Structure formats: structure tokens, C-alpha cells
Amino acid sequence: MRTVVCPGSFDPFTFGHLDVVRRARGLSDRVIVAVAQNASKRTLFSVEERVEFARATIANAHLTSVEVQQVPGLLAEFCESVGAEHIVKGLRNGADLDSELPMALMNRALSGVETLFVLGDPQLSHVASSLVKDVARHGGEIHGMVDPVIVKEIQRALESEDK
Ligand code: PNS
């Protein structure tokens, strides 16, 4: 059974992430969506919430053989512990490659795990978690970018952030 890991901070999980998970599923038998902490990002949602939102989005999309787990420490160690053959990440543009390259090389140096890159759907290339939150913060429309469950949760979290 070929297992791949799709890691990210997923703050929150978007339809762009879902597209990458679908592509990763097409390349493997089992996908583990690995919700991790990015040391350079402060998240709006707790890791438990980010796991819950990824699970809800995947369940509503009826994807099979995809599970969501929290990464307790290093991603490279997590990949070894679950027997993953590869990490799969999506690229939208050159800036994504610039930020992904050092991480892919570091993960390979740490545990030998290779990262495979897939190109996301161009129709979703504007969808980034940070931009979705910013649009929502200014009252913009984010339906079609994240699962409806998450639309409500973003609005709720931003309201309590303002207080
Ligand atoms: O969605 P992101 O923020 O680009 O994902 C980055 C993430 C969370 C996958 C990365 O920061 C990570 O792997 N964090 C876990 C800790 C770790 O292994 N750090 C070394 C990364 S080379």
C-alpha cells in the first residue's frame, strides 16, 4: 500500500488544498493530511480546529482513503512513523517553489523522504489561506474557496479576534 503525506499548516484548509489532496490520492493508495505547525506563521485556528476543518472538508467531498492527523513534531519523523513513501505538495507559482524548495531539501536530508510537487488547478491558484482570511476580515465573499462549515468558523473567529 502506497502512503503519501500532504502536509501544511492549513489555517484553514481550502478548496486549493482539497485539489492537491485529490491529486495526491490519484498517485497513491492512502493519503495522510498532516496538520503541522509552521514556525514562521501565527495561526488564527488551533491545531485541533485545523484538523477538524480538514476532516469536515474531506468528508463533504466524499474522498476515500484520506485521513487527517496532527504532526506532533518534525514532519520528516512523522513521515517515517506512518511509513509514507513521499510527501506531496501543491505549487501555484514560482513563489511557492521558492518557499517549498528548502523544506523539501531539509526533509530529504533528515529522513530521505522525497517531496513530489503537483500543479494545482489554475482556477484555484488565487486561493491561499492567508488571503481567504484577509478577504473575510474585510467582509468579502469566500464561498467557493473553503467548505461552508469553515466560512462560518472564519467569521466567528474574526469576530472574537476584534473583541
Ligand atoms: O502550509 P505551510 O505553512 O507551507 O506548511 C509548512 C509545514 C507546516 C508543512 C512546515 O512548516 C513543517 O513541516 N512543520 C513541521 C515541523 C518541521 O518539520 N519543520 C521543519 C520543516 S523543513
Side-chain angles (χ1 to χ4, degrees):
M1 178 142 97
R2 191 180 307 171
T3 299
V4 301
V5 164
C6 286
S9 37
F10 304 124
D11 185 49
F13 196 86
T14 68
F15 286 154
H17 295 132
L18 184 66
D19 173 51
V20 171
V21 170
R22 267 206 189 93
R23 291 172 200 284
R25 179 69 184 82
L27 301 170
S28 65
D29 304 305
R30 172 186 179 225
V31 175
I32 301 177
V33 174
V35 182
Q37 202 59 42
N38 183 333
S40 58
K41 290 182 184 168
R42 193 178 149 264
T43 59
L44 176 64
F45 296 106
S46 69
V47 67
E48 291 80 12
E49 288 173 313
R50 289 180 278 135
V51 165
E52 188 191 318
F53 299 160
R55 284 196 179 130
T57 306
I58 288 158
N60 291 340
H62 307 292
L63 286 191
T64 56
S65 300
V66 178
E67 55 197 85
V68 182
Q69 293 187 32
Q70 182 183 336
V71 177
L74 273 181
L75 179 64
E77 287 175 4
F78 177 82
C79 289
E80 279 185 319
S81 73
V82 297
E85 280 192 16
H86 301 297
I87 291 170
V88 176
K89 279 216 113 178
L91 294 180
R92 289 166 298 196
N93 48 45
D96 276 353
L97 181 61
D98 286 345
S99 64
E100 293 298 339
L101 205 67
M103 292 195 273
L105 291 171
M106 177 59 86
N107 286 322
R108 189 170 69 183
L110 289 172
S111 73
V113 65
E114 296 280 0
T115 299
L116 308 181
F117 293 106
V118 295
L119 298 179
D121 181 347
Q123 295 201 11
L124 291 169
S125 55
H126 59 292
V127 179
S129 298
S130 53
L131 290 180
V132 168
K133 286 178 287 189
D134 197 41
V135 170
R137 197 170 269 124
H138 294 94
E141 180 58 73
I142 58 168
H143 284 93
M145 300 183 197
V146 293
D147 190 273
V149 170
I150 302 178
V151 173
K152 287 203 191 94
E153 293 296 334
I154 293 177
Q155 284 157 352
R156 189 188 52 76
L158 292 174
E159 275 163 25
S160 53
E161 199 183 50
D162 290 342
K163 284 175 191 160

